[in-house]
Amino acid sequence: MRTYIVNAIEAGTYPAGSRLPTERALCEMLSVGRGVVRSALSVLEGEGRIVRVAGSGSYVAEREVQGKSLGTVSSPIQIMDARLAFEPTLVRLVATNGTTTDFDYMAKCIAAGAEARTIEQFEHWDAAFHEAIAAATRNPVMIAAYKLVTEARNTGEWGALKRRTLTDEARATYQKHHERILEALRQRDIEAGEEALREHLREIRSTMLGH
């Protein structure tokens, strides 16, 4: 959902200052529930990509006030170090603030990842799953901070390395990890969630970087 809107903004479908479709229209366009739409709009607002006006709708923010991109390109090692330091800390807030709608969307990401036919499709839903965790914190600072991780994952070096290492076995392992993470979050088990997320990130680091 968030990715669709971001891509549409960047493609010029929704230029700066334009009004986005209503929540109902977005639900019908993308065949998703109202909760998914509202969650995505909240994330986009926290990132500074849109401005929501009560009683009027959501508008694309002017370019100069939208979230800034990374000033430098991070290496895969730096990305993984940052993810290991940061992502497990999100679990406590998700356990407190996450909703059934958030968890259902995470499940949708996992299911879509299982059905992905290409590495690009799998990477999209993999990233969406982790973005959904950040969104479920309901903390705009955390959401904006995680946006930097997503941007870093869009670099050519990360993508090339992922394509070389994303075997069928690795995909299956990542999917199982996602399921374990989600189950811990649904149970609001902070310790289990943090450990499952750390194990997942360590596996990614080992598979991609060899250590």
Side-chain angles (χ1 to χ4, degrees):
M1 176 69 211
R2 173 196 169 277
T3 301
Y4 166 81
I5 295 176
V6 169
N7 290 341
I9 291 173
E10 294 179 348
T13 304
Y14 305 127
S18 66
R19 185 175 183 271
L20 293 178
T22 64
E23 290 183 0
R24 177 181 293 181
L26 287 169
C27 290
E28 294 175 353
M29 289 167 57
L30 301 174
S31 300
V32 297
R34 184 67 65 88
V36 173
V37 171
R38 288 177 176 170
S39 178
L41 292 176
S42 293
V43 172
L44 292 167
E45 182 179 31
E47 294 172 348
R49 290 183 179 272
I50 67 170
V51 176
R52 302 170 79 181
V53 180
S56 179
S58 300
Y59 297 82
V60 179
E62 297 298 329
R63 293 291 182 182
E64 59 268 22
V65 300
Q66 289 190 28
K68 303 297 182 182
S69 298
L70 290 172
T72 58
V73 176
S74 303
S75 71
I77 293 175
Q78 291 172 323
I79 294 170
M80 288 311 308
D81 284 346
R83 293 184 70 184
L84 274 161
F86 177 63
E87 288 191 49
T89 68
L90 302 176
V91 171
R92 187 171 297 275
L93 284 174
V94 176
T96 301
N97 300 322
T99 66
T100 299
T101 298
D102 293 321
F103 302 141
D104 288 347
Y105 179 66
M106 292 177 201
K108 179 179 179 178
C109 292
I110 294 172
E115 297 296 323
R117 297 183 179 181
T118 67
I119 290 176
E120 290 75 19
Q121 289 174 348
F122 180 83
E123 181 72 352
H124 166 80
W125 288 110
D126 180 273
F129 174 77
H130 288 275
E131 288 175 351
I133 293 175
T137 67
R138 293 295 185 277
N139 184 311
V141 177
M142 292 293 194
I143 293 168
Y146 195 77
K147 178 176 178 289
L148 296 178
V149 175
T150 301
E151 289 182 359
R153 289 179 58 163
N154 289 333
T155 62
E157 187 175 1
W158 175 275
L161 188 57
K162 195 68 174 283
R163 282 190 290 274
R164 291 199 300 270
T165 59
L166 190 62
T167 62
D168 290 342
E169 182 179 2
R171 276 184 57 163
T173 298
Y174 296 163
Q175 287 287 102
K176 289 179 181 178
H177 287 177
H178 285 177
E179 291 169 357
R180 284 184 54 205
I181 293 166
L182 176 55
E183 179 59 26
L185 294 177
R186 283 191 188 276
Q187 297 299 321
R188 303 187 190 277
D189 188 330
I190 296 171
E191 184 177 348
E194 289 177 345
E195 181 54 35
L197 193 44
R198 284 195 192 94
E199 180 183 349
H200 176 54
L201 295 172
R202 287 171 183 149
E203 180 69 23
I204 296 172
R205 182 176 64 183
S206 177
T207 299
M208 293 182 66
L209 305 174
H211 61 80

